[in-house]
């Protein structure tokens, strides 16, 4: 996973996230209407509960990979139950002992970077897919 932290990969990530953000702004009214129509739908909530552990796992793996890439130990990772929902976790607390504040910031922000990538890919998928389960 070292290639993920290469400047070219980070530049590609930035371009992809910015392009998805621009698409979200251009389709804002459609997104708001789509979300409002599905807010009270039990199927939408079930999909949300099903997707949350997957997105959270990717988020935590982002912290873990960033910590390992920076030389910090990741001694514990697993799944805990939070209100009967499986929630993955990674113990990247060894990063607090690092002298470089930039590496600490990268480790702390890696989960958000991964979630922004997932959101960008979901935005492009939403634009391409027809109404139905895959689009939701």
């Amino acid at each position: 996973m070292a290639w993920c932290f290469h400047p070219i990969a980070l530049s590609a990530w930035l371009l992809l996230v910015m392009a998805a953000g621009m698409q979200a702004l251009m389709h804002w009214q459609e997104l708001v209407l789509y979300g409002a129509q599905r807010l009270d739908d039990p199927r939408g909530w079930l999909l949300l509960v099903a997707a949350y552990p997957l997105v959270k796992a990717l988020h935590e793996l982002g912290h873990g990979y960033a910590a390992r890439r920076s030389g910090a130990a990741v001694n514990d990772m697993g799944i805990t139950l939070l209100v009967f929902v499986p929630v993955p976790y990674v113990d990247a607390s060894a990063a607090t002992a690092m002298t470089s504040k930039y590496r600490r910031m990268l480790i702390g922000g890696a989960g958000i970077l991964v979630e922004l990538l997932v959101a960008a890919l979901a935005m492009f998928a939403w634009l391409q897919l027809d109404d139905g389960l895959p689009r939701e």
Side-chain angles (χ1 to χ4, degrees):
M1 296 300 297
W3 61 270
C4 290
F5 300 98
H6 192 276
I8 294 174
L10 292 174
S11 298
W13 172 89
L14 182 61
L15 289 173
L16 185 70
V17 169
M18 286 176 55
M22 291 183 69
Q23 288 295 320
L25 288 173
M26 290 170 37
H27 297 276
W28 185 253
Q29 293 301 322
E30 293 172 65
L31 285 168
V32 169
L33 180 62
Y34 192 83
Q37 290 172 342
R38 285 149 182 83
L39 187 61
D40 294 334
D41 185 12
R43 186 173 84 168
W45 286 98
L46 288 174
L47 288 172
L48 181 66
V49 169
Y52 177 76
L54 183 65
V55 173
K56 181 68 172 163
L58 294 172
H59 171 104
E60 293 298 326
L61 284 174
H63 289 302
Y65 282 128
R68 293 294 299 149
R69 177 74 176 132
S70 297
V74 178
N75 296 322
D76 192 23
M77 61 187 308
I79 298 175
T80 187
L81 285 177
L82 182 66
V83 193
F84 303 111
V85 176
V87 179
Y89 69 91
V90 169
D91 179 16
S93 60
T96 59
M98 301 187 91
T99 57
S100 170
K101 67 179 176 181
Y102 298 108
R103 290 201 183 260
R104 288 194 311 266
M105 288 188 319
L106 176 65
I107 294 167
I112 299 295
L113 298 176
V114 170
E115 285 191 28
L116 284 170
L117 176 65
V118 170
L121 295 174
M123 180 72 232
F124 289 120
W126 186 84
L127 290 170
Q128 297 300 316
L129 294 170
D130 294 328
D131 278 341
L133 186 62
R135 190 176 196 195
E136 289 185 23

